[in-house]
Amino acid sequence: EALKRNNYSTVVDARQTNVGLVEAIKNKAKEKTKAFSSSSLHLSAMKFPSLKYILQGLVVLLIVLMVWDGFTSIPAGHVGVIYDRGRGVLSTGFDEGLHAKIPFWQVVEKFDTRLQAYTMSLEPGENVRYADDSIESLTRDGQKVNIDVTIQFRVSGTDVPWIYQNIGTDYVEKVVRPGVRNVARDVVTGYDST
């Protein structure tokens, strides 16, 4: 019986200890919950940037974008054609130098006004096309000849807005090359092969 009483009191003590342990864990959890709810993680306690700082940041960003897209530099020997989203291609362009434009509204296309050369040759790599681009024509006496031609040309700065609006930036392929080929064939047909 003494042994039974000892075991019984040990079981009762263990149960009381477990109950005390559970209560201690619950109390600790309540303390942590209170500490978490009063911590700085609450949205009401968080510090947001004031409207003043947000507006200042937006103004600085706007100024940077205006400076970045508000100026254009035209290199030596070039002319800038202005395309205005509201009015189309403007009749006057930009000469060499630094110029202001309306950011995001005007776009400037640069055209080379220096002396340029265009070669049509049998030798690959000697011309723009990297293939046989020689002119094949018949002479007056019916002989077939291949001609290598180099043409030198210059675009007039005053004509560049018209060229951009009516032909585009690929005027060499659309106008210069076909024109030279036509003239060369016409000249060759006036001569005999001998």
Side-chain angles (χ1 to χ4, degrees):
E1 233 178 78
L3 189 57
K4 270 187 181 179
R5 233 185 259 160
N6 247 353
N7 283 343
Y8 179 72
S9 68
T10 305
V11 170
V12 170
D13 286 342
R15 282 186 188 157
Q16 287 174 351
T17 306
N18 283 344
V19 169
L21 185 61
V22 168
E23 288 298 319
I25 291 172
K26 284 182 182 177
N27 288 338
K28 201 64 150 164
K30 284 181 185 177
E31 287 174 17
K32 285 188 178 183
T33 305
K34 284 181 185 175
F36 182 72
S37 64
S38 65
S39 72
S40 63
L41 292 177
H42 252 308
L43 290 178
S44 61
M46 288 181 72
K47 300 271 184 188
F48 288 105
S50 69
L51 185 60
K52 173 183 159 185
Y53 293 121
I54 292 172
L55 289 176
Q56 284 177 347
L58 288 174
V59 167
V60 167
L61 180 65
L62 185 63
I63 289 171
V64 167
L65 289 175
M66 299 269 296
V67 169
W68 183 3
D69 194 54
F71 293 98
T72 186
S73 177
I74 308 297
H78 288 73
V79 172
V81 178
I82 306 163
Y83 173 74
D84 187 283
R85 295 187 199 288
R87 297 180 286 169
V89 176
L90 302 184
S91 59
T92 58
F94 290 143
D95 291 329
E96 302 166 353
L98 184 65
H99 301 276
K101 64 182 187 75
I102 301 172
F104 310 109
W105 188 257
Q106 291 180 334
V107 179
V108 177
E109 186 71 39
K110 298 170 186 163
F111 278 78
D112 194 348
T113 56
R114 297 173 292 189
L115 184 66
Q116 300 176 55
Y118 186 83
T119 300
M120 289 173 273
S121 173
L122 184 63
E123 288 296 316
E126 202 174 294
N127 49 14
V128 176
R129 294 189 170 232
Y130 297 102
D132 178 11
D133 195 26
S134 64
I135 300 169
E136 187 176 293
S137 182
L138 294 175
T139 61
R140 184 171 33 185
D141 58 352
Q143 299 295 319
K144 187 167 105 176
V145 293
N146 285 349
I147 306 167
D148 290 352
V149 175
T150 298
I151 179 98
Q152 291 183 329
F153 65 96
R154 174 187 326 253
V155 177
S156 170
T158 56
D159 295 333
V160 168
W162 184 89
I163 292 170
Y164 183 59
Q165 186 172 22
N166 295 293
I167 300 170
T169 56
D170 55 345
Y171 58 91
V172 173
E173 286 297 316
K174 288 181 179 176
V175 176
V176 174
R177 183 174 183 273
V180 169
R181 292 179 82 81
N182 264 347
V183 169
R185 284 189 186 114
D186 289 346
V187 169
V188 169
T189 57
Y191 292 95
D192 290 329
S193 63
T194 54

